[in-house]
Amino acid sequence: MASQHSRLLEAIMDRMIPAVGDLPSAGQMGLIDEIVELAAKQKRFEDLFHSAITAFESKNPDFLTSSESVQDENLKTFELNTPEHFNTIRTIVYIVYYKDSRVHKRIGWDGQPPQPQGYEMDPWDESVLENARKREPFWRKV
Amino acid sequence: MTSNHGSKDMTVDVLIIGAGASGAAAAASLSEAGFKVKCLEQGFWQDPSKYASASADYDFEMLTNWSVDPNKRQLDEDYPINIDNSPVTPVMFNGVGGSTILWTAHTPRFHPSDFRVKTLDGVADDWPLTYEDIEDYYDRNDEVMGCSGINGDPANPPRKPRQMPPLPIGSDGIRLINAFEKLDWHWWPSDNYINSEPYGEGRDACNFCGHVHMGCFKRAKASTDLTYWPLALNNGAVIETGARVRRVTTNSSGIATGADYVDAKGVERHQPARSVVMAANGIGTARLLLLSKSDSHPDGLANSSGLVGKNLMFHPFAMITGVFPEKMKTWQGPLSNFAMSQEFYETDESRGFVRGYTYQFQRSLGPGWVANGGFTNAIPWGDSHHEELEKRLGSMMAIAVIGDDLPELHNSVELDPDLTDSDGVPAPRINYTLSQNSRDLLDHGIKNATKVFETAGATDIYVDPLMRQSGWHLMGTARMGEDSSNSVVDKWGQAHDVDNLFIIDGSVFVTGAAVNPTPTIQALALRTADYIIANRTDLRG
């Protein structure tokens, strides 16, 4: 990704996910390379992503030097007028942010993929059916 | 798993097109009876140990390479679908196992009334068969696929015991169940083809990872690559993968003679056969029949009625999401369908619509999925982002309304004049509008599901009145019936126009009912196979 686009994406991320607790805003967490690598895992998505960044840049040439309130307005307008482009950027920003171990630590998420460990649940307990079993059959006979 | 590859030029007794839910079931039965069976499948075998639920990038994979939407997945073996004229996106998987690879494996049965909607409610048509006609086939299918569930549901006829007890309900599920009971509304643990304990060859119990819709790493979810296909291959059936069918071929008498296809290396081939069984789903089968025009079948194969591709049914879905004040680890357990309610399943004309719907109980997943909305809108960006994520993660559940879909001629599959798959075969175009009956039915379901969430103590409730990516159930495009002028196949799945052509997927459905269709599809496929075995010895070489 061109350095200008990297800076632009960092600025977008800063407005999307602000600092919280000990964590800086998302654009300051060094996630750009991972976003680019992840997007490249599918050609369709990668094309959408780069066209979205390009579209945002062309519509908001002064975004990097604008105030935060203007940046927010720019993003809202982009979201409203070009939802597919906006959603593409937001989707991958959210995915990469929420797979980061620093974020996991803050929100108390174990950070493992769903498999192979899976999770544990209390076993099936038939007593939950005590009330449901009292009902008479009501399926429609033909 | 290796598949047997016989000579590509040998005439087979039965050529099955599509290796999914129905094709696998028919292949196992027919091959056991000694028929020489070959299946052409455009996709490939899957290795469960490589499913994306074990990848750190599972949230990304779910939306891209492992999306349920072929237009987003865009693998070479997928075909694109023009959905410009449909508010519902069809979803499917192309590979050995078909859409059972990515399905949620919810396996309710039709009700007896579903086969008699014309007689009972004066709409659509009756099926040319009854619940009792396929009940034994439902049971046979349960044995092979493995059903977890429990007897005693007052909303459904009594039936044989399931193979396994239900999946656990969980503390989140209890919360919804308590609300249904406060409202004095029916609920029952769902039937699922997901192992609650080890069942079947090499198939473990579910470990509640939640990502049932991304292929099952533990082989706990039944997909036909793990259930029927090993039986069929052991009987001598053959699958050729990466084989994209261009058309079913016919002779000058209009009888099916096999299929033209492109093999995995891109070589054009012909597979001769004494009979052809279509098992390519309610879109794929219609597409291929329309592609198989000939002098004998100028409007497409088996289409003298003009109904091939017509009457497409999806099941309209609405989704109601509730956020609770408590943390309940709602990412633990299968995402979908751990319990259901059929309180509003049967017709009550005082509601202002005919037929009804099922409520399916849903959970949610991890932070990436929740942030991007899950079953509702993405959480906001900006100042409220962190607070909203904290509110929803582990606290969000949903109720799906799955409504009976009645056939309408204008809802259809046709061939797109421009769009093609990676082999240049014309792609399907979907035309679908939601009927007023379906809209009224969904609105009723939304209103009552909202009441459930309010009763359960949800603090925020979100409504998606018609889910876009919900076209799992592809039905009706080659309907069955007694009259050849208003149906494509007879009650055995045999084409009226071509006596050695059979259709066994959801295309043959007359109506859609208000439940997931796969057990009914597979039961009908087994029944068609039995018919062929008993009555079509002429098809054996």
Side-chain angles (χ1 to χ4, degrees):
Chain A
M1 177 177 265
S3 60
Q4 185 174 340
H5 282 180
S6 294
R7 288 196 299 276
L8 182 62
L9 182 56
E10 284 174 357
I12 292 170
M13 292 169 68
D14 283 340
R15 300 314 306 150
M16 280 188 168
I17 307 181
V20 61
D22 296 336
L23 292 180
S25 52
Q28 306 309 306
M29 290 180 64
L31 301 174
I32 298 296
D33 287 350
E34 184 160 7
I35 286 176
V36 172
E37 284 172 22
L38 193 59
K41 286 194 165 185
Q42 196 206 34
K43 178 76 166 54
R44 177 191 67 85
F45 191 92
E46 184 180 36
D47 290 347
L48 273 175
F49 174 64
H50 287 294
S51 67
I53 295 291
T54 302
F56 185 83
E57 181 187 41
S58 70
K59 291 181 190 307
N60 302 284
D62 301 324
F63 189 81
L64 286 172
T65 54
S66 298
S67 66
E68 290 182 349
S69 60
V70 170
Q71 287 182 333
D72 285 353
E73 285 306 312
N74 291 162
L75 278 167
K76 284 176 188 168
T77 302
F78 190 64
E79 181 177 20
L80 186 67
N81 293 339
T82 52
E84 186 181 21
H85 279 152
F86 179 85
N87 290 343
T88 299
I89 296 172
R90 182 185 56 200
T91 295
I92 197 158
V93 166
Y94 281 6
I95 285 175
V96 170
Y97 183 81
Y98 284 105
K99 69 177 285 219
D100 188 272
S101 58
R102 293 164 290 180
V103 177
H104 294 164
K105 186 177 176 187
R106 191 189 75 77
I107 65 175
W109 181 251
D110 72 9
Q112 296 296 317
Q115 293 286 4
Q117 287 93 339
Y119 303 109
E120 289 187 2
M121 292 183 77
D122 291 336
W124 162 251
D125 175 6
E126 194 166 339
S127 68
V128 298
L129 285 173
E130 184 181 347
N131 291 327
R133 281 198 184 282
K134 292 174 183 169
R135 183 147 177 191
E136 292 295 316
F138 65 100
W139 53 278
R140 194 176 182 187
K141 295 178 178 60
V142 297
Chain B
M1 175 88 58
T2 55
S3 58
N4 302 317
H5 285 271
S7 166
K8 286 172 181 164
D9 296 321
M10 274 177 50
T11 300
V12 296
D13 298 336
V14 182
L15 175 63
I16 298 175
I17 299 175
S22 62
S29 278
L30 290 166
S31 58
E32 185 179 20
F35 283 76
K36 186 186 292 183
V37 174
K38 180 170 179 175
C39 177
L40 297 178
E41 166 54 52
Q42 61 194 326
F44 299 91
W45 288 96
Q46 303 301 314
D47 177 352
S49 71
K50 294 181 178 167
Y51 284 142
S53 54
S55 158
D57 295 326
Y58 61 95
D59 278 323
F60 180 80
E61 295 291 341
M62 193 191 318
L63 300 175
T64 54
N65 301 305
W66 283 95
S67 170
V68 295
D69 177 354
N71 286 344
K72 290 183 177 169
R73 203 167 53 233
Q74 293 192 355
L75 302 178
D76 280 348
E77 59 263 39
D78 290 319
Y79 52 87
I81 303 173
N82 183 335
I83 56 169
D84 291 347
N85 295 328
S86 174
V88 175
T89 299
V91 296
M92 64 178 74
F93 187 75
N94 296 302
V96 179
S99 295
T100 65
I101 298 293
L102 299 185
W103 69 331
T104 60
H106 185 40
T107 54
R109 295 181 178 184
F110 274 33
H111 288 206
S113 68
D114 290 321
F115 297 92
R116 288 290 174 270
V117 301
K118 179 75 169 176
T119 299
L120 294 173
D121 299 318
V123 293
D125 281 303
D126 291 345
W127 288 55
L129 47 78
T130 66
Y131 177 87
E132 290 73 21
D133 287 332
I134 64 168
E135 188 173 10
D136 287 347
Y137 293 101
Y138 275 131
D139 291 340
R140 271 175 54 183
N141 195 57
D142 282 357
E143 283 286 333
V144 178
M145 299 292 279
C147 187
S148 59
I150 193 164
N151 274 14
D153 179 6
N156 281 274
R159 53 187 266 200
K160 288 183 178 174
R162 280 72 163 175
Q163 286 68 40
M164 293 162 275
L167 295 163
I169 296 293
S171 61
D172 48 1
I174 296 290
R175 187 158 191 141
L176 281 188
I177 286 162
N178 287 342
F180 272 87
E181 293 194 348
K182 276 184 191 170
L183 293 164
D184 202 22
W185 289 348
H186 166 263
W187 77 274
W188 201 256
S190 293
D191 289 316
N192 287 293
Y193 287 165
I194 297 175
N195 286 358
S196 59
E197 53 193 39
Y199 184 87
E201 185 70 30
R203 297 185 50 220
D204 209 340
C206 176
N207 68 351
F208 315 119
C209 83
H211 288 66
V212 64
H213 52 291
M214 294 181 73
C216 186
F217 186 92
K218 298 283 284 182
R219 303 169 190 248
K221 181 181 76 172
S223 48
T224 58
D225 57 327
L226 304 177
T227 57
Y228 278 111
W229 275 117
L231 302 175
L233 296 180
N234 194 47
N235 295 334
V238 172
I239 300 181
E240 183 172 338
T241 57
R244 172 162 273 145
V245 174
R246 287 190 179 280
R247 67 185 65 83
V248 177
T249 54
T250 52
N251 63 17
S252 58
S253 304
I255 297 300
T257 56
D260 291 338
Y261 69 102
V262 187
D263 75 9
K265 294 179 179 172
V267 177
E268 300 280 349
R269 295 192 178 276
H270 176 72
Q271 174 60 55
R274 280 176 272 277
S275 65
V276 174
V277 173
M278 303 299 297
N281 83 40
I283 290 176
T285 286
R287 175 195 184 207
L288 283 174
L289 294 177
L290 293 172
L291 284 166
S292 302
K293 289 180 181 175
S294 64
D295 289 344
S296 303
H297 304 282
D299 298 320
L301 188 57
N303 195 24
S304 64
S305 66
L307 292 176
V308 168
K310 306 293 187 185
N311 297 306
L312 172 67
M313 296 175 283
F314 277 134
H315 284 141
F317 266 80
M319 190 69 83
I320 303 88
T321 299
V323 180
F324 295 99
E326 290 80 22
K327 295 296 177 195
M328 298 181 289
K329 295 187 177 179
T330 51
W331 58 81
Q332 298 184 353
L335 174 64
S336 299
N337 306 323
F338 58 92
M340 58 102 179
S341 169
Q342 293 188 328
E343 181 68 29
F344 305 102
Y345 193 92
E346 304 285 4
T347 294
D348 176 345
E349 290 186 6
S350 70
R351 297 178 193 141
F353 55 87
V354 293
R355 309 306 298 158
Y357 56 88
T358 295
Y359 280 135
Q360 299 176 338
F361 298 11
Q362 321 281 339
R363 296 190 168 89
S364 52
L365 297 173
W369 187 86
V370 169
N372 277 307
F375 293 125
T376 184
N377 295 329
I379 66 172
W381 57 272
D383 291 342
S384 65
H385 179 85
H386 297 294
E387 182 184 352
E388 192 64 25
L389 190 281
E390 167 65 19
K391 190 194 283 186
R392 293 194 203 180
L393 181 62
S395 302
M396 194 163 73
M397 301 189 75
I399 297 174
V401 185
I402 167 176
D404 199 338
D405 207 357
L406 297 172
E408 296 176 277
L409 276 176
H410 57 85
N411 290 336
S412 62
V413 176
E414 54 190 23
L415 298 177
D416 192 278
D418 303 312
L419 196 63
T420 65
D421 64 25
S422 57
D423 289 305
V425 181
R429 178 171 62 189
I430 304 302
N431 303 299
Y432 187 86
T433 55
L434 193 67
S435 72
Q436 191 58 51
N437 192 72
S438 293
R439 184 65 269 161
D440 293 344
L441 178 157
L442 290 179
D443 288 344
H444 188 273
I446 290 166
K447 183 179 169 190
N448 282 333
T450 301
K451 196 180 291 185
V452 170
F453 277 119
E454 289 170 349
T455 303
T459 52
D460 299 282
I461 299 170
Y462 305 97
V463 173
D464 183 347
L466 181 63
M467 280 185 75
R468 173 91 216 182
Q469 192 172 278
S470 63
W472 276 108
H473 307 152
L474 311 173
M475 306 171 289
T477 52
R479 65 192 301 194
M480 61 166 55
E482 301 288 4
D483 181 351
S484 62
S485 70
N486 67 7
S487 59
V488 177
V489 299
D490 67 13
K491 65 182 178 181
W492 304 107
Q494 180 175 300
H496 292 303
D497 298 350
V498 186
D499 83 349
N500 67 340
L501 176 72
F502 298 85
I503 303 176
I504 60 170
D505 54 42
S507 307
V508 303
F509 279 29
V510 179
T511 56
V515 291
N516 309 52
T518 302
T520 305
I521 290 171
Q522 292 184 298
L524 291 172
L526 292 171
R527 184 170 181 267
T528 294
D530 270 10
Y531 173 81
I532 293 171
I533 292 164
N535 297 284
R536 298 302 303 268
T537 52
D538 61 304
L539 299 177
R540 296 181 65 160

